[in-house]
C-alpha cells in the first residue's frame, strides 16, 4: 500500500499532491458533496449512466478548478482576494471643500 506524506514539517501548511491549505479542504468538501448528490440522484430514479456521466464531469471540473485556483492564488490567495473585495471602492465625504482645508481651533472651556 502506498504512503502519502500529508504534512512536511512543523509550522508549514498542510499539503497533499500540490494542494495547499484551504484548497485541500475545498477539494475534499466538494468531492463529498458531489458523492452525496450522486447518491441522491441515483436514489431518485435517474438513469445510472446519466448519474455516472454527471458525477464524472462535475468531479473533473472540481479537480481542474481547485488546482487552477491553487496555482493562481497560492496558499493565502483566497483570503487575500476576499479581503480585497471587502474594502470600499471609494470614500464619501460630504463636507464642503473649503471646510476640509481650514484649520480648526481648539476651543478652551473654562
Amino acid at each position: 500500500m502506498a504512503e502519502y506524506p500529508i504534512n512536511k514539517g512543523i509550522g508549514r501548511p498542510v499539503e497533499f499532491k500540490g494542494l495547499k491549505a484551504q484548497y485541500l479542504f475545498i477539494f475534499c468538501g466538494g468531492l463529498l458533496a458531489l458523492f452525496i448528490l450522486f447518491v441522491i440522484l441515483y436514489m431518485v430514479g435517474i438513469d445510472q449512466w446519466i448519474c455516472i456521466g454527471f458525477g464524472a464531469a462535475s468531479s473533473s471540473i472540481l479537480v481542474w478548478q481547485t488546482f487552477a485556483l491553487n496555482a493562481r492564488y497560492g496558499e493565502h490567495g483566497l483570503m487575500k482576494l476576499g479581503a480585497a473585495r471587502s474594502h470600499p471602492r471609494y470614500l464619501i465625504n460630504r463636507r464642503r471643500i473649503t471646510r476640509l482645508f481650514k484649520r480648526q481651533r481648539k476651543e478652551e472651556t473654562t
Side-chain angles (χ1 to χ4, degrees):
M1 183 163 178
E3 292 185 22
Y4 298 105
I6 291 181
N7 200 355
K8 297 186 178 184
I10 297 172
R12 296 191 63 193
V14 176
E15 182 178 351
F16 180 73
K17 297 285 185 180
L19 288 178
K20 294 181 182 176
Q22 73 264 19
Y23 303 105
L24 185 61
F25 300 117
I26 292 171
F27 181 69
C28 292
L31 284 180
L32 181 65
L34 286 175
F35 177 71
I36 292 171
L37 187 62
F38 173 82
V39 170
I40 290 172
L41 288 175
Y42 187 75
M43 290 175 66
V44 167
I46 296 176
D47 186 35
Q48 76 179 26
W49 291 108
I50 293 174
C51 292
I52 290 172
F54 171 75
S58 58
S59 62
S60 63
I61 289 172
L62 175 76
V63 169
W64 173 60
Q65 279 295 97
T66 306
F67 277 95
L69 285 173
N70 186 34
R72 183 173 183 182
Y73 294 115
E75 181 182 344
H76 301 291
L78 288 180
M79 291 184 281
K80 289 179 184 177
L81 188 66
R85 286 184 182 168
S86 67
H87 289 300
R89 292 180 186 234
Y90 54 88
L91 297 176
I92 297 176
N93 194 343
R94 297 183 189 269
R95 290 184 175 190
R96 292 189 332 232
I97 294 175
T98 56
R99 189 171 177 190
L100 290 174
F101 296 111
K102 287 183 179 179
R103 283 191 172 182
Q104 294 180 354
R105 294 184 192 182
K106 292 183 182 179
E107 295 181 21
E108 294 183 26
T109 56
T110 56

